[in-house]
Amino acid sequence: MPRNTSLTPRNELVIHDNLSDSDIVLYYRTPTTTERNGYQNMAVSRRRNRVVLNQAGARLKYGLLVLTGFRDGDFVRDVDGHAEPYSSDPDSPRYLPAWKDEVAAGAADLVMLLAGHLFDASAEIEEAEDGASDNETAGEDVPGNLTETSPR
């Protein structure tokens, strides 16, 4: 499937949440180049002669910026001692206008995982497969290797 470079489509990321032992679907928009730069600048900065790391703060801030919703039924909140599902969809009867605040307060780890996926590891480089692992050929066919490294 080709990569859509438009900023408008609704993308989704399925995350297995270990706390609830369920799969949660987060909806997000594609980050802009400006947001990618801002994320990197916030995650690692320099103050005088010190490098300051703020990856968690950058992930939460920028993850919330691109988060557009979640699948209905994936989140609940405690209301008068019982779990009440809420929704990010304005057309749902369970819609909660402050849904982002609820997610940020109770599932910041999932928002940060989303941001890590989008800002830190949005792509990967596949190495060419040559049919043999490094352990199989490590030094076995190198001429002179045995005599140079063997005790005399």
Side-chain angles (χ1 to χ4, degrees), residues 10-29:
R10 182 173 87 171
N11 305 296
E12 62 181 52
L13 178 67
V14 179
I15 298 173
H16 182 77
D17 179 37
N18 292 332
L19 298 179
S20 65
D21 194 28
S22 64
D23 287 340
I24 293 178
V25 178
L26 298 180
Y27 302 128
Y28 64 93
R29 64 172 176 75

Side-chain angles (χ1 to χ4, degrees), residues 7-13 25-31 35 61-72 75 87-91 95-97 99-100 103 111 114-115 118:
L7 300 179
T8 54
R10 182 173 87 171
N11 305 296
E12 62 181 52
L13 178 67
V25 178
L26 298 180
Y27 302 128
Y28 64 93
R29 64 172 176 75
T30 304
E35 289 167 338
K61 177 183 176 177
Y62 285 91
L64 287 170
L65 275 176
V66 299
L67 180 67
T68 59
F70 55 87
R71 182 176 60 190
D72 276 359
F75 289 105
S87 175
S88 61
D89 181 1
D91 295 331
Y95 176 65
L96 181 66
W99 65 267
K100 264 193 190 183
V103 172
V111 175
L114 170 68
L118 295 175

Side-chain angles (χ1 to χ4, degrees), residues 5-150:
T5 56
S6 302
L7 300 179
T8 54
R10 182 173 87 171
N11 305 296
E12 62 181 52
L13 178 67
V14 179
I15 298 173
H16 182 77
D17 179 37
N18 292 332
L19 298 179
S20 65
D21 194 28
S22 64
D23 287 340
I24 293 178
V25 178
L26 298 180
Y27 302 128
Y28 64 93
R29 64 172 176 75
T30 304
T32 65
T33 300
T34 302
E35 289 167 338
R36 289 183 188 282
N37 291 336
Y39 171 85
Q40 294 300 329
N41 289 335
M42 184 177 177
V44 180
S45 61
R46 180 177 290 279
R47 292 200 185 118
R48 296 187 185 199
N49 293 334
R50 294 180 36 220
V51 173
V52 179
L53 302 177
N54 186 19
Q55 189 174 43
R59 282 183 174 183
L60 184 58
K61 177 183 176 177
Y62 285 91
L64 287 170
L65 275 176
V66 299
L67 180 67
T68 59
F70 55 87
R71 182 176 60 190
D72 276 359
D74 279 353
F75 289 105
V76 297
R77 64 188 184 129
D78 188 33
V79 177
D80 297 327
H82 66 280
E84 179 180 280
Y86 62 96
S87 175
S88 61
D89 181 1
D91 295 331
S92 171
R94 296 178 178 168
Y95 176 65
L96 181 66
W99 65 267
K100 264 193 190 183
D101 295 334
E102 287 286 331
V103 172
D109 57 326
L110 300 180
V111 175
M112 288 188 278
L113 186 62
L114 170 68
H117 176 77
L118 295 175
F119 292 98
D120 292 327
S122 63
E124 61 185 44
I125 298 171
E126 292 185 22
E127 293 186 26
E129 294 181 25
D130 60 359
S133 71
D134 290 340
N135 293 339
E136 291 174 354
T137 60
E140 290 179 357
D141 296 324
V142 178
N145 193 29
L146 182 58
T147 58
E148 292 175 11
T149 58
S150 299

